[in-house]
Amino acid sequence: MIKKALRILGKFFLWFLGISILSVLIFKWVPVPSTPLMLTRVIENKLDGEDMVCSHDWVPLEEISTNLQKAVIASEDANFLTHHGFDFKAIEKAMENNEKGKKLKGGSTISQQTAKNVFLWQGRSYLRKGLEAYFTVLIELIWGKERIMEVYLNSIEMGNGVYGAEAASKYWYRKSAVSLTKMEAAGIAAILPNPRKFTATNSSSFITRRKGRIVKHMNYVKIDY
C-alpha cells in the first residue's frame, strides 16, 4: 500500500516537474495571455454583480518606456538587476519590521512577483510560497532579467481590471506605454502596492509623495539586461 502510494506520488512529482518546466519554456517566447489573478478578479466581479472588466494589451519590452522599467525597479525591487531572484537583505529587513509590529511589508522581488502572478494563486500559505520560490528559480534560469521584466510589466495589476503597462498607460494617461514620462511612470509604479485602491492621476497626498520619491530614485537606476 505504501509502495503504491509512493509510486503515485513519484509519478505526480515527475508530471509536475515536466509540466512546470515546459510552461516556463513556452512563456519564454510566447506572450502570457492571462493570469490566475485576472481570472480571479473576473469571478469576483461576477459574484459581486459588477461588470467583468479585464483590459490587457501585451506589447514587447521595446514598446514600454524605460521610464516605467526604472520606476518599478526603484519602487518595487532596487536590486532586481543584481540579485538571482531573491533579495535576502530585503527579506530580513521586512521580517525585522514585521516583528517590531510595524506595518506589514513583504520582501518579494520582481522575479518572485512575476512567478506568483503568472503561475500561481494569491495567498500566504507555505505551499504557495514554496511553489513561488521554485518558479522564481526556474524563470531566473530560463528567462533571464529582460524577459522577467517584460512579463512582469505585461501581467501585473495596474488598476481595477487593468493589467499590464500598455492598458494602464491608456487607462491613466490616454497614451501608449512607450511614451510615458518619468512622472507618469512613477504614478503607475506608486500605486502597485494596491492598484484597486490608489489612483495614478488625481492622486492622494500619500501617492503624490511616493511619486516624488520614485522619480528621485529612478535617477540612480541603470537599465542593463
Side-chain angles (χ1 to χ4, degrees):
M1 193 72 171
I2 295 177
K3 289 183 178 179
K4 184 177 181 180
L6 289 175
R7 283 199 299 271
I8 293 173
L9 286 174
K11 289 180 179 179
F12 175 81
F13 179 69
L14 290 175
W15 271 103
F16 170 75
L17 282 180
I19 292 172
S20 60
I21 293 173
L22 179 61
S23 298
V24 173
L25 284 170
I26 289 172
F27 287 136
K28 178 179 174 65
W29 311 108
V30 177
V32 179
S34 64
T35 66
L37 179 60
M38 293 178 195
L39 299 176
T40 299
R41 294 291 191 236
V42 167
I43 294 171
E44 288 175 348
N45 288 346
K46 177 65 175 178
L47 294 176
D48 292 338
E50 300 175 358
D51 293 334
M52 293 185 290
V53 179
C54 184
S55 179
H56 178 222
D57 302 314
W58 181 282
V59 294
L61 191 61
E62 307 86 72
E63 295 180 22
I64 300 176
S65 172
T66 55
N67 286 325
L68 185 57
Q69 297 174 50
K70 291 180 179 181
V72 295
I73 291 174
S75 64
E76 297 291 299
D77 186 2
N79 297 314
F80 171 68
L81 294 172
T82 56
H83 65 59
H84 298 289
F86 308 94
D87 189 337
F88 295 105
K89 289 184 178 179
I91 294 172
E92 183 179 355
K93 184 176 180 181
M95 291 176 65
E96 290 176 355
N97 288 336
N98 295 341
E99 288 175 358
K100 292 177 182 178
K102 295 182 180 181
K103 186 176 180 180
L104 289 177
K105 182 179 180 181
S108 293
T109 63
I110 285 175
S111 301
Q112 288 175 274
Q113 292 179 49
T114 304
K116 177 187 70 176
N117 288 336
V118 174
F119 299 104
L120 302 169
W121 64 95
Q122 302 298 303
R124 293 180 177 275
S125 68
Y126 289 113
L127 173 61
R128 192 198 62 73
K129 292 299 291 184
L131 290 172
E132 178 187 297
Y134 167 71
F135 277 105
T136 297
V137 171
L138 281 186
I139 64 175
E140 281 279 340
L141 288 173
I142 297 174
W143 289 2
K145 295 296 185 182
E146 187 171 5
R147 178 59 175 176
I148 290 173
M149 177 60 73
E150 183 173 54
V151 174
Y152 175 78
L153 288 177
N154 273 290
S155 303
I156 56 172
E157 191 174 33
M158 294 180 166
N160 190 14
V162 180
Y163 302 91
E166 185 69 8
S169 299
K170 290 177 179 177
Y171 180 80
W172 292 114
Y173 301 113
R174 304 293 186 268
K175 61 165 59 176
S176 295
V178 71
S179 302
L180 289 171
T181 65
K182 278 188 176 182
M183 186 57 72
E184 290 168 345
I188 292 175
I191 67 172
L192 293 184
N194 196 336
R196 295 200 296 170
K197 174 183 177 181
F198 300 126
T199 60
T201 57
N202 299 317
S203 307
S204 65
S205 58
F206 169 73
I207 293 298
T208 299
R209 291 194 299 272
R210 186 169 162 79
K211 288 181 190 179
R213 290 195 297 270
I214 291 172
V215 169
K216 181 179 178 180
H217 291 147
M218 285 168 65
N219 294 323
Y220 302 101
V221 176
K222 304 296 181 184
I223 299 294
D224 182 15
Y225 298 119

